[in-house]
Amino acid sequence: MTLAYNRAWEKLKIEAALDAYMGQQSMNTEADIETRNTMESSLKMSYRVGPHRIFTTHAFDVLAYRGSYFGEAGLEYQRYVTKNTEFTISIRSGWASAKFNDVYIGVNKSAFNFVGVGGSLTYYLGSRMYFRPHFEFSSITDRMLRGQLAPSNIANFGIAFGWSK
């Protein structure tokens, strides 16, 4: 579950969120990463420079894995290709604390975790509804993290449906 709020002032945009992750509790007395309930607090800031947007996001676990931190920064390009269709592409990189990497990957070290590229095509149906096919490709950059993750190059895609204010 996610609770989010965003605000824009001219070229600056700030988004704050709380993300709750609820795993199914097992009968085992030792909690797995998959079964622990936790919550993250995040802050995303971005600044528009022409057709580009420079952004950074910082997420902190505030419940089960206190001290776990993940950060990301990148550059995004957005352009309307028709009145109702918006094209977006971005490049990004991310880093994490030793606690984050230990909890989620099994390597107790802070690291520059990944570089990636993503894109989407958002089609607005009227003034509020939209659907958005999207893709993302990322590559794990740290040697020790690559050894723990298989595959170390990840591609994902999907379709989002939603509404905007």
Side-chain angles (χ1 to χ4, degrees):
M1 295 188 330
T2 300
L3 175 63
Y5 176 78
N6 66 57
R7 181 75 186 218
W9 295 277
E10 296 183 22
K11 295 181 178 186
L12 178 66
K13 185 176 182 181
I14 297 176
E15 302 173 41
L18 281 174
D19 295 301
Y21 300 96
M22 294 173 268
Q24 183 179 12
Q25 298 299 315
S26 68
M27 299 302 281
N28 188 347
T29 58
E30 294 182 40
D32 299 314
I33 185 69
E34 292 84 16
T35 62
R36 298 277 310 263
N37 294 337
T38 194
M39 184 177 292
E40 287 182 353
S41 172
S42 64
L43 179 65
K44 179 178 182 178
M45 296 176 288
S46 63
Y47 188 79
R48 182 164 295 288
V49 180
H52 301 91
R53 184 169 287 281
I54 300 166
F55 65 89
T56 185
T57 304
H58 304 275
F60 302 88
D61 194 294
V62 295
L63 192 60
Y65 307 107
R66 289 181 186 259
S68 177
Y69 162 78
F70 185 82
E72 153 176 73
L75 180 67
E76 183 176 82
Y77 172 79
Q78 291 179 307
R79 179 172 181 241
Y80 275 91
V81 291
T82 69
K83 181 182 174 187
N84 296 333
T85 308
E86 182 180 37
F87 171 74
T88 305
I89 191 161
S90 67
I91 57 172
R92 56 183 23 134
S93 62
W95 57 92
S97 68
K99 175 84 173 196
F100 179 95
N101 286 336
D102 187 30
V103 167
Y104 294 102
I105 301 172
V107 176
N108 188 8
K109 75 173 256 190
S110 58
F112 177 64
N113 287 28
F114 79 94
V115 294
V117 62
S120 66
L121 195 62
T122 304
Y123 180 74
Y124 293 93
L125 304 162
S127 63
R128 297 181 188 246
M129 298 287 294
Y130 67 87
F131 76 90
R132 176 184 300 138
H134 56 90
F135 77 91
E136 188 175 279
F137 174 81
S138 60
S139 181
I140 306 303
T141 53
D142 184 88
R143 184 177 48 82
M144 288 180 71
L145 299 180
R146 285 177 78 89
Q148 286 295 107
L149 297 170
S152 56
N153 294 320
I154 302 161
N156 68 54
F157 57 92
I159 298 176
F161 295 91
W163 66 93
S164 60
K165 187 176 175 183

